[in-house]
Amino acid sequence: MKNSVIILGMFDTLPKMLQKAAEKYAELNVQYTKNKAGVFEPTNYHDMFQKSLDFGGGLLELGIMRGDKIGLISDNREEWEQADMGLLSIGAIDTPRGCDATEKDLSYILSFAECKLVIAENTAQVKKILSIRDSIPTLKMIIAFDPIAEEQLNDAKAKGINCYQFKEVQENGHKFRLNNPDKVEQELEKGDCEDLATIIFTSGTTGTPKGVMLQHKNFTAQLDELVERIYLIPGERALCVLPIWHVFQRICEYVIISQGAGMCYSKPIGSVLLSDMAKINPELIPAVPRVFEAVYDGIWRKMRKTGGITFALFKFFLNIGLLRSSMIRKMFRREARFGNDGIFFRWIAFIIPVILLTPLNWLGNALVFKKIRAMLGNNFRAGVAGGGAFPPAIDKFFWAIGVNIVEGYGLTETAPVVSVRPIACPILGTIGTPIRHVKVKIVDDNGDELPVGVKGTVMIKGETVMKGYYKRDDLTAKVMTHDGWFDSGDIGMKTINGEIVLKGRKKDTIVLLGGENVEPLPIEMKISQSKYISAAVVVGQDQRSLGALILPSKDELVEYGVENGLDTSDYEKFANSEEVQKLIDNEVKELVNTKNGFKSFELITKTDVITKPFEVGIELSAKQEIKRFAISEMYEKQIKALFA
C-alpha cells in the first residue's frame, strides 16, 4: 500500500510533504498571523520548516521518542502547525483538541491516549490540565505557546510536572541540531506512510468520544486529486477559520501547503471574517456551512435594512438569477441526474428564455451582484463547504449571484475527504464523485449494493479510511467489514454519473409511532430559511407526529416586535409570547408543507421557542453540527410538553 502512494508521486509522510514544499517554495509565505495591532505577519516556507525541525530537536532533547503520544490543546495559531510538524518529524503522534474542550473531555482523552507530554496554548489550558493531573498518570511535561502564570508554574512543580515555553524548546532544539547534525532530518526520513500520525477524538454528536487512528497515508493519498479539484497557484492565499485541530482544517492546510499557497488564520465570526477578507483578499475559504449561512444572512439583513428601491432591485435580480442559473444547470447537466433527462427537449424549452434573461442578469450583476462579490475580495475563487449539510437554498443563492461554493463530504474516520465538487465543474445537489483511491457504494440493510437513485447506507473503502479506533477493537468491528468497507452511518444515493447525494444520518432518523422513518435534517434546513429562525431541531421519536424546537434569530425577531408595536424590553418574555409563537408557527407551516414536497408525516405539528444561542462544545460539535443527544437532555421537559 505504501508503494501505491509513492508511485503516484505523493509524499509518504506529512513532514516530507512540508520538506519538499520548503525546498520548492522557500521564499513564498506559508503562514499569515495577526499581531496585536491586527496586521497579518507572514512566515515563509523555509522558516516554518526550520522552526518545525527545531521544535522536533527540542522534543528529542526532552526525551520524546518515536511513537509517543502528545496532547496538543490549542486553537488556531501559527505555532500549532510548527509544533505538529515538528513532533511528526521525529515519529511522535499528536492527540489534538481545541481550547473549548472541557476538563472532563481532556481527562478522558489525555489519559486514554496515555500522553506523556501536553502542548497547551496558554495559562487557561495549563490550569485545566493541572486540575486533572491525577487522572493522567503518564503525564510528565507541559509545553505552552504563551507564557505560563507563576501560580500554574508552582502548581505544576508541586505535582511533578516540568513546564517549558514553546520558544524555549525551539531555541534549545536549534542548539541540539547544531550539536547533532542531521539527527532530526534522519528521524524524518525514517517516517513511513503506515506510521500513525494522529489520534483524533471525535467531538461527539452522540456521546463518548472515540479515538480515530489516522496514518500519514490517510492524509497524503488525498493530495493526489484534491489539488486538482481544489486548486491554488503558488503564492495565493486561503483564509482559515476552522478549528485547526479538526481533521477538515488539517487536510485543508495540507492541500494549501502541497501547492505552495499561504494559510491566513482568522475566526468564523462575521465581522472578523469580513474584515480579514478585506485585508487578505484570499482566493479560497474552506469553512463549515454555518459560516456561509452567516454570510448569506448578513447579505439579506443588509439589503432589508437598506430597503426601498435597492432592496426591490436586489429581490428582482436575484429571482432572475435563480431562474436563469436553474435553466442553465438543466441544459448543461450541472445538477444531480438519476436517469434520462431529455436533454434535447430541455434545450428547446430553455434556450430562448435563457437568451431573454441574460441581459437582465448582466444588469443585475453590474448593479447588485458585483457589489456583493466585492465583499469577498477581488481574488475570491471559491468557498469549500464541509463538515455538515449545505442548505440547498443557500447553495442556489450563491450560484445565482456568481459565487462558487463547492460542497465536500467526509468524516474523521476517512481523514476526512470522501468526495468534493470540483471548483471547475460543480454539480448542484451532490457532493461530487469519490476522489481517487476511495470507493463508495450504497447498500441496503442486508449489505447488498443498490442501483442508481435508491437510498441506502453509504459505505466507504480506500486509502483514506482509518486504521481503527484507539484501544477499541469492539467499536472498530461495528463499523468495519471484514473486507475493509467502512460504514459511514450516512444515508445517501448515487447519481447516474456516480456523484453522491446525501440524505441524512442513520443515527438521526426519527421513527414515528406509525412506523414512518423521518430524516430531520432536510426539514430543519427548510425551516431555517425563515429570516426569523436561526436554527431548528426536529423531534418526535416514538410519537404520532413531529415537533420542533425553534431558536429564533434575535435581531430579526426584535425588529419584527418593534415594527408591530410589541414590548421587546424583556427578550425572554417577548420570545415566548403568544404573538411570537404564532409568527413561528406560521413560518414553519409556510415552509414545511406538502406543496414544498414534504410528506404528510413530515409536517411539524407543534413548536416551542428556545432562546439560548447554540454554542460549540454544548449544543454544537466542533464542526458546528447539532448535538442531538445533548439538546434532548437539555430540553427534555420542553420536548415532553410538545407531545403532552
Side-chain angles (χ1 to χ4, degrees):
M1 197 164 290
K2 174 184 174 183
N3 289 337
S4 65
V5 178
I6 292 174
I7 290 170
L8 291 165
M10 291 290 98
F11 319 94
D12 48 349
T13 71
L14 296 169
K16 289 178 186 178
M17 173 197 67
L18 177 59
Q19 182 182 42
K20 295 297 181 185
E23 292 171 357
K24 189 172 182 179
Y25 310 113
E27 299 305 316
L28 294 181
N29 294 323
V30 59
Q31 292 180 304
Y32 294 81
T33 305
K34 277 192 292 186
N35 59 24
K36 293 180 180 179
V39 177
F40 280 91
E41 295 182 341
T43 301
N44 66 35
Y45 272 87
H46 172 271
D47 290 350
M48 177 188 166
F49 181 56
Q50 293 303 316
K51 288 178 180 180
S52 298
L53 295 184
D54 286 345
F55 186 69
L59 293 180
L60 288 175
E61 189 175 47
L62 290 173
I64 298 299
M65 301 173 63
R66 182 172 296 277
D68 282 346
K69 270 81 72 177
I70 298 176
L72 186 41
I73 316 303
S74 173
D75 291 334
N76 296 27
R77 54 190 297 161
E78 64 175 341
E79 293 92 344
W80 196 101
E81 193 67 74
Q82 294 170 17
D84 192 48
M85 284 294 184
L87 69 90
L88 292 175
S89 294
I90 64 169
I93 302 160
D94 70 65
T95 305
R97 206 55 184 261
C99 289
D100 61 343
T102 63
E103 291 178 4
K104 180 182 177 183
D105 283 343
L106 291 179
S107 176
Y108 177 80
I109 291 168
L110 299 176
S111 61
F112 195 71
E114 303 167 303
C115 294
K116 64 188 298 185
L117 163 65
V118 174
I119 302 167
E121 176 161 2
N122 49 35
T123 288
Q125 305 314 310
V126 173
K127 185 177 180 180
K128 272 196 278 188
I129 294 161
L130 290 175
S131 71
I132 56 174
R133 165 70 179 95
D134 292 343
S135 68
I136 318 172
T138 54
L139 183 62
K140 305 297 181 187
M141 293 173 279
I142 294 175
I143 297 173
F145 291 145
D146 291 340
I148 305 172
E150 192 69 27
E151 181 183 350
Q152 272 65 57
L153 287 173
N154 293 334
D155 189 17
K157 187 175 181 180
K159 293 179 177 179
I161 302 293
N162 294 318
C163 289
Y164 306 92
Q165 293 296 145
F166 177 74
K167 292 296 183 185
E168 173 192 0
V169 176
Q170 268 190 333
E171 290 168 2
N172 291 339
H174 184 71
K175 295 174 185 176
F176 175 87
R177 291 177 64 202
L178 292 175
N179 295 327
N180 299 271
D182 297 329
K183 175 63 177 175
V184 179
E185 287 85 347
Q186 289 169 5
E187 290 297 325
L188 187 152
E189 285 302 316
K190 290 179 185 176
D192 187 276
C193 71
E194 302 280 350
D195 291 345
L196 201 59
T198 182
I199 303 173
I200 300 178
F201 283 80
T202 57
S203 54
T205 55
T206 55
T208 304
K210 300 184 289 288
V212 178
M213 294 188 291
L214 297 176
Q215 298 162 290
H216 286 268
K217 69 177 182 182
N218 297 141
F219 293 108
T220 58
Q222 299 173 61
L223 301 178
D224 181 38
E225 187 174 2
L226 281 183
V227 295
E228 298 172 11
R229 299 196 189 192
I230 311 298
Y231 60 90
L232 287 162
I233 296 169
E236 291 186 336
R237 294 177 284 195
L239 199 64
C240 298
V241 300
L242 298 167
I244 196 167
W245 66 270
H246 195 273
V247 69
F248 180 22
Q249 176 60 29
R250 291 183 70 165
I251 194 60
C252 288
E253 298 209 359
Y254 303 148
V255 169
I256 293 165
I257 291 171
S258 66
Q259 298 183 85
M263 304 174 285
C264 311
Y265 298 118
S266 182
K267 295 183 180 296
I269 301 169
S271 58
V272 176
L273 176 62
L274 290 175
S275 173
D276 288 347
M277 288 180 72
K279 294 176 183 176
I280 289 297
N281 208 3
E283 280 75 16
L284 193 71
I285 302 177
V288 293
R290 283 185 182 271
V291 171
F292 298 111
E293 288 177 48
V295 174
Y296 168 87
D297 291 339
I299 292 169
W300 272 99
R301 191 176 299 114
K302 183 177 181 179
M303 289 297 165
R304 279 194 294 267
K305 287 185 177 180
T306 303
I309 187 65
T310 301
F311 187 36
L313 286 173
F314 169 73
K315 290 191 292 184
F316 173 75
F317 287 124
L318 177 59
N319 287 328
I320 294 294
L322 287 168
L323 180 59
R324 180 177 177 274
S325 60
S326 175
M327 291 179 179
I328 289 176
R329 285 194 299 269
K330 288 178 171 61
M331 291 168 66
F332 290 94
R333 291 176 168 168
R334 299 284 291 276
E335 60 184 13
R337 298 168 53 240
F338 301 99
N340 184 8
D341 55 2
I343 191 70
F344 175 74
F345 296 104
R346 289 191 175 195
W347 270 81
I348 292 176
F350 296 143
I351 186 64
I352 299 300
V354 166
I355 291 173
L356 294 175
L357 289 172
T358 295
L360 285 172
N361 194 71
W362 286 345
L363 184 60
N365 181 65
L367 295 177
V368 182
F369 303 152
K370 187 177 181 180
K371 295 176 182 177
I372 293 174
R373 292 198 300 272
M375 295 168 59
L376 303 176
N378 298 326
N379 294 336
F380 184 76
R381 179 178 299 130
V384 183
F390 193 39
I394 297 176
D395 199 355
K396 293 174 183 176
F397 169 83
F398 282 117
W399 200 303
I401 68 172
V403 174
N404 195 359
I405 310 290
V406 296
E407 186 179 7
Y409 165 62
L411 306 96
T412 305
E413 289 87 345
T414 58
V417 182
V418 174
S419 61
V420 63
R421 299 184 207 165
I423 289 175
C425 188
I427 305 298
L428 186 81
T430 80
I431 47 173
T433 56
I435 61 172
R436 283 196 284 272
H437 317 302
V438 175
K439 296 179 181 178
V440 170
K441 65 180 180 180
I442 311 297
V443 303
D444 61 18
D445 291 341
N446 297 319
D448 296 325
E449 189 164 1
L450 294 167
V452 167
V454 180
K455 195 165 60 174
T457 300
V458 178
M459 302 290 288
I460 304 160
K461 185 177 183 179
E463 298 266 12
T464 70
V465 176
M466 67 173 179
K467 185 177 182 180
Y469 294 120
Y470 184 63
K471 294 196 294 187
R472 291 303 305 266
D473 291 342
D474 56 329
L475 295 179
T476 303
K478 287 182 179 180
V479 297
M480 296 293 299
T481 65
H482 68 280
D483 55 348
W485 286 93
F486 168 68
D487 184 342
S488 70
D490 288 313
I491 300 168
M493 55 188 179
K494 281 190 176 182
T495 69
I496 196 169
N497 292 322
E499 296 106 357
I500 305 165
V501 177
L502 291 181
K503 291 296 183 180
R505 291 282 294 166
K506 285 196 293 185
K507 66 183 180 184
D508 293 340
T509 301
I510 296 171
V511 182
L512 295 175
L513 202 58
E516 301 93 345
N517 287 355
V518 180
E519 305 308 326
L521 191 58
I523 303 172
E524 291 164 351
M525 287 194 295
K526 190 67 177 178
I527 292 173
S528 296
Q529 287 182 25
S530 167
K531 68 178 182 179
Y532 299 114
I533 298 173
S534 175
V537 182
V538 174
V539 295
Q541 180 65 34
D542 297 325
Q543 302 294 333
R544 295 181 184 276
S545 60
L546 297 176
L549 298 176
I550 304 294
L551 177 65
S553 175
K554 185 175 180 179
D555 291 344
E556 296 291 349
L557 196 61
V558 169
E559 189 174 323
Y560 168 84
V562 172
E563 289 174 354
N564 288 273
L566 302 175
D567 182 6
T568 62
S569 57
D570 184 336
Y571 177 70
E572 189 74 25
K573 184 178 179 181
F574 164 65
N576 286 281
S577 66
E578 185 178 337
E579 291 85 354
V580 169
Q581 187 65 60
K582 186 176 180 180
L583 169 68
I584 295 298
D585 285 342
N586 288 338
E587 289 289 305
V588 171
K589 287 176 183 177
E590 281 292 317
L591 291 163
V592 182
N593 54 52
T594 53
K595 290 181 181 178
N596 286 338
F598 292 95
K599 299 179 177 66
S600 59
F601 60 81
E602 293 176 320
L603 306 186
I604 304 297
T605 58
K606 296 181 181 179
T607 65
D608 190 20
V609 173
I610 57 178
T611 56
K612 180 187 178 300
F614 290 172
E615 298 177 67
V616 172
I618 301 177
E619 297 91 350
L620 302 175
S621 71
K623 294 187 296 181
Q624 299 190 39
E625 288 182 308
I626 290 172
K627 297 170 70 171
R628 296 181 188 278
F629 77 95
I631 290 175
S632 296
E633 291 177 359
M634 291 175 65
Y635 296 101
E636 184 179 2
K637 289 183 180 179
Q638 289 93 322
I639 294 171
K640 285 183 178 179
L642 280 174
F643 303 105

